[in-house]
């Protein structure tokens, strides 16, 4: 439904999350719209019917970069960077807002090269944050796809290949 070719994508189960590496032939904008909205809508439908214990909430991160596949999976600085964004305290805080099931963080590279240049992605609905996790200090952009809105963070600027990671 998102218009992506999943046959060329690499998927890795990472325990409580999934690492998805889209083909370099895929337009990165499709990983945001319509894919995020499709995931959010299905997640909302599931959570509406689920018990409190059965509800699912997702953090999603997107970054562009080169990766290497070996016998143990996918590696590379782009993968590391994307997982650091996924662990950003601001992203976790955005997910703590009431009635929010999915929070999305984009790397600076994704924001500048995809979100700002693609009219339907509404760049004004993204909140700039400084992600500081382990050795990574990097600017990033957060939104809550409720058909996109800026999160209300208490500390938006606090120090605290296409890749997508979904983590519950």
């Amino acid at each position: 439904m998102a218009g992506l070719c999943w046959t060329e994508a690499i998927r890795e189960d990472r325990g409580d999350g999934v690492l998805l590496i889209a083909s370099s032939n895929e337009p990165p904008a499709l990983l945001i719209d319509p894919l995020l909205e499709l995931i959010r809508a299905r997640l909302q439908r599931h959570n509406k019917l689920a018990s409190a214990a059965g509800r699912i909430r997702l953090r999603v991160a997107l970054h562009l970069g080169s990766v290497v596949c070996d016998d143990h999976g996918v590696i590379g600085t782009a993968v590391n960077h994307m997982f650091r964004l996924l662990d950003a305290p601001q992203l976790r805080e955005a997910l703590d807002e009431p009635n929010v099931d999915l929070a999305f963080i984009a790397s600076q590279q994704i924001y500048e090269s995809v979100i700002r240049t693609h009219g339907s992605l509404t760049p004004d609905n993204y909140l700039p944050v400084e992600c500081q996790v382990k050795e990574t200090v990097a600017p990033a952009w957060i939104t809550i796809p409720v058909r996109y809105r800026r999160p209300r963070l208490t500390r938006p600027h606090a120090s605290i290949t296409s890749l997508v990671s979904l983590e519950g």
Side-chain angles (χ1 to χ4, degrees):
M1 291 177 66
L4 296 164
C5 178
W6 296 109
T7 57
E8 294 182 27
I10 298 170
R11 291 176 293 271
E12 280 190 8
D13 184 338
R14 295 279 178 120
D16 64 349
V18 174
L19 173 63
L20 168 67
I21 301 174
S23 163
S24 60
N25 297 326
E26 298 290 357
L30 291 180
L31 295 168
I32 301 169
D33 187 26
L35 183 61
L36 274 184
E37 177 56 24
L38 292 167
I39 292 170
R40 187 204 61 80
R42 289 197 172 151
L43 184 61
Q44 186 177 42
R45 189 174 321 126
H46 165 83
N47 286 343
K48 190 174 187 177
L49 301 172
S51 67
R55 290 189 72 225
I56 299 171
R57 297 176 324 135
L58 294 176
R59 289 175 288 129
V60 179
L62 179 62
H63 182 53
L64 278 169
S66 298
V67 298
V68 175
C69 296
D70 65 15
D71 293 339
H72 304 288
V74 181
I75 58 172
T77 57
V79 175
N80 294 344
H81 186 77
M82 193 246 351
F83 276 110
R84 298 300 183 257
L85 296 178
L86 194 63
D87 285 338
Q90 299 96 326
L91 187 62
R92 292 178 187 275
E93 185 179 346
L95 199 56
D96 286 340
E97 289 189 29
N99 301 314
V100 172
D101 297 321
L102 189 149
F104 172 63
I105 189 167
S107 68
Q108 179 74 17
Q109 181 182 6
I110 288 289
Y111 184 81
E112 293 295 334
S113 65
V114 179
I115 295 166
R116 281 191 55 202
T117 62
H118 198 282
S120 71
L121 298 181
T122 323
D124 291 343
N125 289 342
Y126 286 76
L127 182 69
V129 296
E130 182 178 81
C131 173
Q132 185 173 342
V133 177
K134 296 187 179 180
E135 71 282 350
T136 300
V137 177
W141 297 82
I142 294 178
T143 191
I144 299 171
V146 176
R147 203 62 193 165
Y148 305 106
R149 71 177 170 88
R150 288 172 69 122
R152 293 184 284 281
L153 302 181
T154 57
R155 301 167 295 158
H157 295 284
S159 289
I160 11 180
T161 335
S162 300
L163 303 176
V164 176
S165 183
L166 308 173
E167 187 168 290

